[in-house]
Amino acid sequence: MIRSMVRETQVNVQDLIFPLFVLDGKGIKSEIHSLPGIFRLSKEYIMKEIEECIKLGLKSFVLFPAVDESLKDKTATYSYHKDNFYLKLATKIKKEFPDTCLISDIAMDPYSIDGHDGYVEKGKVINDLTLPILGKMAIAQAQAGFDILGPSEMMDGRIGFIRKALDDEGLTETGIMSYTAKYASALYGPFRDALDSAPKVGDDIPKDKKTYQMDPANKREALIEAELDTLEGADYLMVKPALHYLDVIHLLKSECNLPIAAYHVSGEYAMLMAACKNGWLEYERIMPETLLAIKRAGADVILTYFAKEFALRH
Ligand code: PBG
């Protein structure tokens, strides 16, 4: 009783955002082998999943699309096509569950034949040719009903570009959760399995994302990114991954006034699940301890594959 009375940090279900992998088609529920317990879901399963989560008090979701290879191209045109299943799904979710907070992903990788977050030309990701594509994606997502857009592609100047594109269309109420300090981490592997979105191999394709994602060695650079995003109009600043970067979460929380989000990413989840499955760690203890540590470091909200499991217990 005394221990809980003097507890400094609490994780609440309202602090959590649940990532969902969505795909087109009917009746599909396929587990991602490197993310045990997490599935790619088609529409009817997504609606059911969201309904179940809402009953548990979990109302914030970030949606990631797994796109059929035949719909991918150089410039990610499917990302803003009017028949895009991801956009139509967002509209349906907001119509049936208006009380949810729906967050999008803005990046080219699920739609790009090169598997990069930006536009590739002559072996390079070209920042300024990517921005107009992101702008179109942002407008389409906001019009589809997403409450908050999540630019995860780390192009320079994208927050200002997207904010202006939205405002020019009168979409002033749509917020932006910027992936501010997103590191070129080895922890995204299972996510790329889930979406089949890893960079493709080829002479004219950069082999990794290091020209746009941050160097894991850098902390002060996160402050520069945070300052730029704030000035450009972000509503949230995100640090990603979470556990290896608790110092960065702490730093942004102390230096910035916007809410701080942290993404406990696929590889972090996979490591814990693998250890728990082997009986080497105790799931019921390590799962809440992990979320608590991220919150204690300074995160206001946490994107986590544990969200529903946590909600089930609270
Ligand atoms: C890419 C994107 C990635 C994640 C979210 N958006 C992967 C990447 O940068 O290659 C990773 C999330 C996770 O690992 O859980 N736009």
Side-chain angles (χ1 to χ4, degrees), residues 71 75-81 84 86-87 107-108 111 133 136-137 140-141:
L71 294 168
T75 51
T77 46
Y78 183 67
S79 64
Y80 49 87
H81 195 283
N84 177 317
Y86 177 76
L87 301 173
M108 286 175 64
Y111 310 96
I133 299 169
K136 285 187 203 165
M137 219 185 283
Q141 293 177 351

Side-chain angles (χ1 to χ4, degrees), residues 2-174:
I2 290 173
R3 201 170 164 86
S4 63
M5 194 169 74
V6 296
R7 182 165 294 148
E8 297 170 33
T9 308
Q10 312 266 5
V11 177
N12 306 304
V13 176
Q14 304 94 276
D15 307 331
L16 305 181
I17 300 172
F18 193 22
L20 297 172
F21 296 108
V22 306
L23 42 63
D24 204 5
K26 265 208 165 97
I28 309 170
K29 179 174 183 184
S30 73
E31 192 168 20
I32 300 147
H33 74 279
S34 49
L35 287 176
I38 303 295
F39 298 79
R40 294 188 202 88
L41 302 172
S42 62
K43 189 165 63 187
E44 61 280 21
Y45 284 114
I46 284 288
M47 300 310 280
K48 206 166 134 241
E49 181 74 337
I50 290 182
E51 192 174 5
E52 280 175 31
C53 288
I54 291 173
K55 287 198 185 119
L56 301 171
L58 176 59
K59 295 180 182 175
S60 300
F61 306 92
V62 55
L63 304 187
F64 294 103
V67 176
D68 196 83
E69 209 58 34
S70 66
L71 294 168
K72 299 184 183 181
D73 60 17
K74 273 306 274 184
T75 51
T77 46
Y78 183 67
S79 64
Y80 49 87
H81 195 283
K82 64 171 181 13
D83 292 331
N84 177 317
F85 80 92
Y86 177 76
L87 301 173
K88 287 199 285 194
L89 180 61
T91 308
K92 186 174 164 69
I93 295 169
K94 284 305 291 187
K95 190 163 167 242
E96 282 192 35
F97 307 111
D99 218 17
T100 50
C101 171
L102 217 52
I103 303 165
S104 75
D105 182 50
I106 298 184
M108 286 175 64
D109 55 335
Y111 310 96
S112 147
I113 40 166
D114 298 316
H116 271 284
D117 294 16
Y119 173 71
V120 175
E121 205 175 74
K122 296 195 185 94
K124 284 194 173 148
V125 171
I126 314 288
N127 193 94
D128 290 6
L129 294 182
T130 304
L131 296 179
I133 299 169
L134 304 178
K136 285 187 203 165
M137 219 185 283
I139 291 167
Q141 293 177 351
Q143 285 172 340
F146 280 102
D147 301 287
I148 298 175
L149 308 185
S152 69
E153 36 35 64
M154 291 301 277
M155 298 300 124
D156 289 338
R158 90 268 209 217
I159 301 303
F161 193 95
I162 289 169
R163 186 68 268 164
K164 181 164 187 319
L166 293 173
D167 291 350
D168 287 351
E169 288 292 318
L171 298 161
T172 51
E173 290 189 9
T174 309

Side-chain angles (χ1 to χ4, degrees), residues 172-184:
T172 51
E173 290 189 9
T174 309
I176 300 177
M177 179 179 286
S178 175
Y179 288 59
T180 297
K182 177 173 175 180
Y183 287 89

